[in-house]
Amino acid sequence: MISPSPLMSQNHLLELPSTLSSHISSSLLSIRGGSQMAETVDSIYIKSAVGYFNNLRVPAAVLMSIVMKEMFALQSTPPSCMRKWDTEHGIDRSKRWRILRYSYLLLMILAFSLETFTIFTATQVLTQLATAQTVIHPLDLEVDHERVSGVSGFFSMGARKEAHESMIDFLINNFEFEYTTCRLHFVTGLLCFTVATALRVRYALRKYSNLSISGMCCLLTTATGMLTYTNANAITYGGYVNLVRRHFVLTSQFLMARARSGPLSVVTAILACLTVIYAIRGSLTPEFSYFELDGDEDDSQNGS
């Protein structure tokens, strides 16, 4: 009987920790209900997509809270020190300044609506992504993609791919409506908030014309700079205008596809059209009544 050499015994002892660790890792994976092959490319893209929508949802919620707090800032009566100056310079009767105040309010309302829908859509798509954590390996030729309902947005545009080049490619192939909605609404809401703040600076510093125009131009520079950067570094769709166009097409398809399911899609389309129509009518033929002056005249008549 040949006894094992000391070198062979030493190598066997060195192999024990690696063997033991592999058995432990395989046991942990079996307890979790998965295997090392479960970490596919699509599952990595799903985790990245979860982080992407979370990174949009959090700043959208912060911006929405700010907009909700400052929405009606210019609708209150100016202080007495500014009211006298407004009367002397005709600000209280000026339609241009009233248009500025109401434009600020409408822009803040639009920003609030866009950021709210961004939060809602991101939350819904995160729920859909949470149900798609188990992704079948893309090299498996026996996969029936019609059965895999975990990875699908409101509707999927185009044929499914077995492999995706990047996370954006994965989102466009499976969640294009949600991707364009969150991206466009967040950027547009941020632009509306910036422009509205510029109008507020112009109104708040109206007594100092040069300073108010300087502050307004500074904020408008920020807005145009964001648009310039977006158009120059667009990852998909080739710029902001094309993103708006693509989102309009997807939204129209979504509403038409859901028209037979119930009246809500039709009501949504009608309300969107009414929003645009009355905004155009209000800007072309503004109807202003000087409530502050009417109230002062009534008080003076009652006092006499």
Side-chain angles (χ1 to χ4, degrees):
M1 182 175 180
I2 300 176
S3 60
S5 63
L7 182 59
M8 293 176 61
S9 301
Q10 186 177 2
N11 292 334
H12 180 68
L13 291 174
L14 290 174
E15 291 176 358
L16 282 176
S18 60
T19 306
L20 183 61
S21 62
S22 63
H23 283 296
I24 292 174
S25 60
S26 61
S27 300
L28 290 175
L29 288 171
S30 63
I31 292 173
R32 289 180 175 178
S35 62
Q36 292 180 351
M37 294 298 293
E39 189 70 16
T40 62
V41 176
D42 278 354
S43 63
I44 296 175
Y45 289 156
I46 289 174
K47 293 179 181 179
S48 301
V50 170
Y52 174 81
F53 284 107
N54 272 325
N55 290 336
L56 281 178
R57 185 175 61 168
V58 173
V62 174
L63 182 59
M64 185 190 69
S65 62
I66 297 174
V67 171
M68 183 171 55
K69 181 181 178 182
E70 304 295 335
M71 186 180 299
F72 300 97
L74 299 188
Q75 305 309 310
S76 58
T77 304
S80 57
C81 59
M82 289 299 301
R83 194 184 306 175
K84 181 180 179 181
W85 188 87
D86 289 344
T87 304
E88 293 175 354
H89 293 79
I91 302 298
D92 52 353
R93 290 182 175 274
S94 174
K95 290 186 177 182
R96 292 183 300 173
W97 286 101
R98 287 179 178 269
I99 290 174
L100 184 145
R101 291 169 57 187
Y102 292 134
S103 298
Y104 169 84
L105 177 60
L106 292 177
L107 285 173
M108 295 293 274
I109 291 173
L110 180 59
F112 179 82
S113 302
L114 293 174
E115 300 303 331
T116 302
F117 201 77
T118 301
I119 297 170
F120 172 78
T121 306
T123 304
Q124 293 297 318
V125 73
L126 285 174
T127 304
Q128 291 177 305
L129 288 169
T131 62
Q133 294 300 321
T134 302
V135 180
I136 301 176
H137 199 278
L139 298 179
D140 189 0
L141 298 179
E142 297 180 358
V143 173
D144 185 5
H145 291 286
E146 297 298 331
R147 295 187 295 104
V148 184
S149 60
V151 185
S152 61
F154 285 130
F155 55 93
S156 179
M157 303 301 300
R160 294 185 181 276
K161 292 184 179 180
E162 292 187 354
H164 301 92
E165 298 178 358
S166 63
M167 183 201 71
I168 300 300
D169 184 51
F170 169 79
L171 290 177
I172 292 176
N173 190 56
N174 298 283
F175 297 94
E176 186 177 15
F177 177 76
E178 293 85 347
Y179 169 69
T180 56
T181 297
C182 291
R183 183 177 172 186
L184 176 65
H185 285 200
F186 177 75
V187 174
T188 307
L190 188 61
L191 289 173
C192 291
F193 175 75
T194 306
V195 175
T197 307
L199 296 179
R200 183 177 180 179
V201 170
R202 179 71 176 99
Y203 181 78
L205 297 176
R206 60 191 180 279
K207 192 174 181 179
Y208 310 99
S209 178
N210 293 328
L211 292 179
S212 64
I213 295 176
S214 174
M216 181 182 67
C217 291
C218 178
L219 288 166
L220 292 178
T221 302
T222 303
T224 55
M226 288 190 294
L227 274 178
T228 303
Y229 184 85
T230 301
N231 293 329
N233 297 276
I235 300 175
T236 51
Y237 304 110
Y240 181 81
V241 177
N242 292 330
L243 178 62
V244 173
R245 186 182 297 111
R246 182 57 180 165
H247 178 67
F248 179 78
V249 172
L250 292 175
T251 303
S252 301
Q253 293 178 356
F254 169 70
L255 293 176
M256 289 187 294
R258 297 298 186 273
R260 297 181 180 180
S261 302
L264 286 180
S265 59
V266 178
V267 172
T268 302
I270 293 174
L271 291 176
C273 294
L274 291 177
T275 300
V276 177
I277 291 172
Y278 281 105
I280 296 174
R281 287 184 59 185
S283 61
L284 294 178
T285 57
E287 298 177 358
F288 297 105
S289 58
Y290 306 113
F291 297 104
E292 295 87 350
L293 298 178
D294 294 341
D296 294 339
E297 291 177 359
D298 293 340
D299 293 339
S300 59
Q301 290 177 1
N302 294 330
S304 60

